[in-house]
Amino acid sequence: MATVPSHDTAPAGAPDGGHRTFLAVLVNTAAANVTTSFLWFALTFWVYLETRSVLATGIVGGAYMLLLAVFAMVFGSLVDRHRKHRVMVFSGVVTLTAFLIAGALWLAFPESALLDLGAPWFWLFAGIILAGAVIENLRNIALSTTVTLLVPVERHANANGLVGTVQGLAFVVTSVFSGLSVGFLGMGWTLVIALVLTVVALAHLLTIRIPEERPAASETVGPVVDLRGAIRAVRAAPGLFALIIFSTFNNLIGGVYMALMDPYGLEMFDVQIWGVVLGVTATGFIVGGGLVARFGLGRNPIRTMLWLVIAMGVLGAVFTLREWWWLYALGIWVYMALIPPVEAAEQTVIQKVVPFATQGRVFGFAAAFESAAAPITSFLIAPLAEFLVIPYMRGAEGRATWGWLLGDGESRGIALVFVVAGLFMVVAASLAFLTRSYRTLSTQYRTAEVNADVVGDATTGDSVGDATTGDAAAKTAVGAEPGSTTGRAPAAASTQDAVGSSVSSTSLRDEKNGPSGE
């Protein structure tokens, strides 16, 4: 039987059968991700094919990321305060309810009414599907917490890569079948398929048992969004906010991809073929995640992250220089292969330097900050591309000015946006190497010990620090002042394990108290 940790310590090790339980949770979350992504991709394809509006797809995609940013802190607080199985079930029920309402709207109104961008029904229909997809992301935070319970600490980076690999497999399935479903079956039957799969995933989730103790954070009264607690936890690790900034670089170019990748691809391919192209290129997720699972991230994951972000920028600047399908597809594949290592790098660093009991709020804070970058660029780029850049590049002046670089084609305006965004990413990530924060955080990662002593509860200000104790807590957490290369933290009473996909959090386990529920 696994030892039951106290409220103030992280789990000492993986329980018996923990790996098997982790795989079950991972597969179930992957199935839920496939379902919501399947419907979300299908909605994007359907909207663009029926309206040919880059603005509409940009707004829909940007709204998704914006809501993720808004609710990430809520999700982090919920995961810290409740048993993780219960959080997952709640997420599944809300998502199913949202999809049922969307199905009712489909039956209640003709398709032409739902496609009228000037009427409220389109935005209501898309918004409800969006809400279901956003709530499903609560499961991803809870998934990372169950890894904290079930996976040994020495496998952090490798487990992060495994999660990225499974997400890649999900993306392959989603991309292919979303295009085929919209192309051959239409949006109505696509909704039916999503509803059936959501029910199946929820039923399977109810059969899983995750041994865990009632979280310590649930015993104190706190706000729904514990922003103060999250900020305290971030401040307790000097340089951690800089890591969040570094990760945001990836999301900046992600907003451009969100707004323009599908329109560019759908101008080049039929929707069925485009779905297959996305599915094939999504094998890059599998390769990238598999490489991390096999080899890890090197001695300094922060340095690895920045080099990968620079590579993303170079890629964005070159993969649409000509309207060649193979160049575009290859560029997407390489971009997707880079995403799992970038995300795994952030997760690995945070898992080491952030106390166990506050990881949910820290990951929620990070997700909120990083997710906000994509909708900002998406909302900005979509109208600029549709009303300014694309018409400019279709005119004689644009072709004469940029033809030497971008060649000829129907989508040269979108290509110009990709080039500018990619070069911006290269410059931003390169400058990050020169910052003091980069050096401080790199030192902190090298000197930090996995820490279970400084956990406390951010809602009360214990251990993670407040305005007067934050510096002391930071020194305890990393074992040295920022910039020191020799300081070591005291040996931790127990070890902590965690692994993230896009966000992560924390929980405790208790085999005496049973699996889930409160």
Side-chain angles (χ1 to χ4, degrees):
M1 298 290 287
T3 340
V4 178
S6 71
H7 283 315
D8 294 326
T9 58
D16 294 337
H19 182 67
R20 184 172 60 251
T21 304
F22 161 64
L23 291 179
V25 175
L26 181 63
V27 169
N28 183 269
T29 304
N33 287 346
V34 165
T35 303
T36 53
S37 297
F38 166 76
L39 186 56
W40 186 244
F41 271 60
L43 176 68
T44 304
F45 294 164
W46 176 68
V47 169
Y48 184 76
L49 288 173
E50 297 295 335
T51 67
R52 295 290 172 178
S53 173
V54 173
L55 182 61
T57 57
I59 290 176
V60 168
Y64 174 76
M65 294 302 296
L66 183 61
L67 285 179
L68 282 183
V70 170
F71 284 99
M73 284 297 303
V74 178
F75 293 165
S77 298
L78 285 174
V79 169
D80 270 354
R81 292 180 177 278
H82 299 280
R83 290 188 172 98
K84 310 314 172 272
H85 185 269
R86 183 174 184 178
V87 169
M88 291 182 171
V89 171
F90 170 78
S91 173
V93 170
V94 174
T95 297
L96 176 60
T97 302
F99 290 173
L100 284 170
I101 296 173
L105 287 173
W106 180 267
L107 294 176
F109 296 95
E111 185 172 355
S112 58
L114 294 177
L115 283 167
D116 184 358
L117 302 183
W121 304 117
F122 165 77
W123 301 105
L124 180 62
F125 179 71
I128 289 173
I129 293 177
L130 181 150
V134 168
I135 290 295
E136 196 272 333
N137 277 272
L138 179 58
R139 292 169 58 96
N140 292 327
I141 301 180
L143 167 67
S144 300
T145 304
T146 62
V147 177
T148 303
L149 295 172
L150 304 172
V151 176
V153 65
E154 64 272 11
R155 303 293 295 173
H156 276 189
N158 307 86
N160 286 334
L162 179 61
V163 172
T165 301
V166 171
Q167 288 179 327
L169 286 169
F171 193 91
V172 170
V173 174
T174 296
S175 303
V176 173
F177 286 99
S178 292
L180 294 176
S181 182
V182 170
F184 290 118
L185 301 178
M187 192 64 191
W189 282 107
T190 299
L191 264 170
V192 172
I193 294 171
L195 281 168
V196 171
L197 293 178
T198 302
V199 170
V200 171
L202 183 58
H204 175 254
L205 177 61
L206 294 175
T207 68
I208 299 175
R209 294 294 179 264
I210 304 172
E212 55 183 321
E213 184 180 336
R214 181 185 178 91
S218 66
E219 298 176 358
T220 60
V221 178
V224 175
V225 181
D226 190 8
L227 181 59
R228 289 184 61 194
I231 292 175
R232 287 169 178 161
V234 171
R235 289 178 56 200
L240 184 56
F241 186 72
L243 173 64
I244 297 172
I245 297 288
F246 295 159
S247 302
T248 304
F249 290 159
N250 178 41
N251 289 41
L252 286 171
I253 197 170
V256 178
Y257 278 72
M258 180 191 306
L260 301 179
M261 190 171 74
D262 282 334
Y264 192 95
L266 290 170
E267 290 293 341
M268 193 176 295
F269 304 99
D270 292 334
V271 63
Q272 296 93 332
I273 302 300
W274 176 235
V276 173
V277 169
L278 284 179
V280 173
T281 56
T283 59
F285 274 124
I286 303 171
V287 172
L291 289 174
V292 177
R294 175 66 179 85
F295 299 108
L297 293 163
R299 296 178 60 185
N300 187 346
I302 307 144
R303 180 175 60 237
T304 302
M305 174 196 296
L306 288 180
W307 278 116
L308 292 174
V309 171
I310 289 174
M312 285 180 168
V314 173
L315 174 68
V318 302
F319 82 135
T320 57
L321 289 181
R322 291 295 183 273
E323 207 163 295
W324 299 335
W325 71 266
W326 61 268
L327 178 63
Y328 190 52
L330 178 63
I332 295 173
W333 186 90
V334 176
Y335 174 75
M336 291 183 177
L338 295 175
I339 290 176
V342 169
E343 294 184 347
E346 180 189 16
Q347 303 304 317
T348 301
V349 173
I350 292 180
Q351 287 157 8
K352 188 172 183 181
V353 303
V354 174
F356 179 83
T358 58
Q359 284 187 7
R361 279 156 283 187
V362 169
F363 277 105
F365 179 84
F369 194 90
E370 295 159 18
S371 297
I376 288 172
T377 51
S378 182
F379 287 146
L380 178 65
I381 290 300
L384 284 177
E386 179 157 334
F387 299 122
L388 294 178
V389 182
I390 292 176
Y392 167 73
M393 286 302 295
R394 285 177 178 169
E397 182 183 354
R399 290 196 300 268
T401 304
W402 298 99
W404 64 274
L405 176 65
L406 301 174
D408 296 320
E410 291 296 318
S411 301
R412 297 303 80 205
I414 295 178
L416 180 60
V417 175
F418 276 127
V419 170
V420 174
L423 293 177
F424 171 78
M425 289 294 296
V426 171
V427 173
S430 299
L431 292 176
F433 275 114
L434 306 178
T435 64
R436 180 181 178 183
S437 294
Y438 166 73
R439 296 189 297 272
T440 298
L441 192 59
S442 297
T443 300
Q444 182 182 356
Y445 181 82
R446 289 195 305 270
T447 60
E449 295 289 349
V450 176
N451 194 329
D453 297 328
V454 189
V455 286
D457 183 5
T459 60
T460 63
D462 295 340
S463 299
V464 295
D466 52 24
T468 59
T469 63
D471 292 340
K475 295 174 188 176
T476 307
V478 300
E481 293 282 2
S484 169
T485 57
T486 58
R488 284 268 179 200
S494 59
T495 57
Q496 64 183 15
D497 306 286
V499 57
S501 48
S502 57
V503 285
S504 181
S505 55
T506 181
S507 68
L508 304 173
R509 68 173 180 270
D510 181 8
E511 296 199 354
K512 292 192 305 181
N513 291 350
S516 58
E518 288 193 55

